[in-house]
């Protein structure tokens, strides 16, 4: 499974160039609209297109997944999820909401030390939605998808589960033709996620 260009995206401009090259004018404008909406909603796409701050690689490259299908949309860029598919902070696996804020079990936004984040009047901020990354990405692109097949690599000293977000859509998040990957039946990979396990390797 290799990206058609063989190169990682270099930034937002490169992403737009790639979209333009692989799309009709109407498809290109639709995708740009989605990218801008996502960026406005919290900078997710802009962060995802920046070099990977955890693994020090680019958008189409993180440990275990080299120059292939792009990451699913995640509030903090890298598509790290928990075993149920919800977003977690890439650096330590703590749960985050759709705005990228740490949350407690009740969904209340918290600081690193576990204390609630408060507004200027001292009231705890209200919870925000916390959406499964695969399904949330699919909804943003107007398709249906779900987590299916996976493969495993040794990353950062523990086993990493690379988990395909699969759909019946013929294009992947990159904007080019989708590949079968580890999807079931006639479904194909739309984007990718991963779970960092605690199993040593």
């Amino acid at each position: 499974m290799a990206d058609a260009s063989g190169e990682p995206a270099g930034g937002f401009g490169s992403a737009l160039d790639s979209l333009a090259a692989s799309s009709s004018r109407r498809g290109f404008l639709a995708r740009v609209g989605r990218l801008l909406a996502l960026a406005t909603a919290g900078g997710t796409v802009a962060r995802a297109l920046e070099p990977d701050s955890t693994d020090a690689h680019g958008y189409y490259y993180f440990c275990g997944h080299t120059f292939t299908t792009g990451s699913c949309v995640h509030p903090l860029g890298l598509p790290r999820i928990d075993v149920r598919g919800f977003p977690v902070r890439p650096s330590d696996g703590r749960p985050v909401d759709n705005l990228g804020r740490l949350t407690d079990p009740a969904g209340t936004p918290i600081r690193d030390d576990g204390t609630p984040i408060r507004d200027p009047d001292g009231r705890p901020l209200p919870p925000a939605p916390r959406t499964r990354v695969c399904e949330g990405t699919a909804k943003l692109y107007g398709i249906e998808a779900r987590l299916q097949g996976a493969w495993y690599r040794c990353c950062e000293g523990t086993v990493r589960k690379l988990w395909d977000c699969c759909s019946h859509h013929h294009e992947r998040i990159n904007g080019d033709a989708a590949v079968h990957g580890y999807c079931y039946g006639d479904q194909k990979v739309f984007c990718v996620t991963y779970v960092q396990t605690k199993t040593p390797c």
Side-chain angles (χ1 to χ4, degrees):
M1 269 189 339
D3 184 77
S5 68
E7 295 293 330
F12 195 72
S14 297
L16 294 182
D17 290 343
S18 175
L19 286 175
S22 64
S23 308
S24 66
R25 183 173 182 272
R26 179 176 293 176
F28 169 73
L29 292 174
R31 287 193 183 92
V32 169
R34 283 195 294 266
L35 287 175
L36 292 175
L38 290 170
T40 302
T44 299
V45 171
R47 282 193 294 273
L49 292 172
E50 291 173 356
D52 175 335
S53 60
T54 300
D55 294 332
H57 300 296
Y59 180 53
Y60 294 125
Y61 187 109
F62 54 85
C63 181
H65 197 64
T66 309
F67 299 134
T68 50
T69 301
S71 303
C72 296
V73 177
H74 186 285
L76 296 176
L78 281 175
R80 184 174 178 179
I81 58 175
D82 63 20
V83 296
R84 296 178 300 148
F86 289 99
V88 297
R89 191 161 66 176
S91 61
D92 56 14
R94 294 175 67 184
V96 295
D97 62 21
N98 289 359
L99 299 177
R101 304 175 301 182
L102 290 175
T103 65
D104 66 14
T108 303
I110 57 173
R111 302 185 187 281
D112 271 12
D113 63 5
T115 58
I117 301 174
R118 299 181 181 276
D119 67 18
D121 295 321
R123 296 171 298 203
L125 294 182
R130 188 168 182 246
T131 307
R132 286 182 170 90
V133 168
C134 173
E135 289 88 339
T137 300
K139 185 175 181 180
L140 288 170
Y141 281 81
I143 64 172
E144 291 185 5
R146 58 183 153 180
L147 292 169
Q148 291 190 335
W151 70 106
Y152 300 84
R153 295 290 184 270
C154 185
C155 296
E156 302 172 7
T158 60
V159 174
R160 176 173 290 188
K161 176 181 180 178
L162 288 297
W163 208 348
D164 285 340
C165 178
C166 304
S167 77
H168 290 286
H169 200 58
H170 295 296
E171 286 186 2
R172 55 184 175 173
I173 197 168
N174 305 38
D176 57 0
V179 296
H180 184 72
Y182 290 87
C183 296
Y184 306 152
D186 61 350
Q187 297 190 63
K188 297 180 179 180
V189 184
F190 185 71
C191 58
V192 294
T193 65
Y194 70 90
V195 176
Q196 194 71 31
T197 76
K198 296 181 180 180
T199 305
C201 57

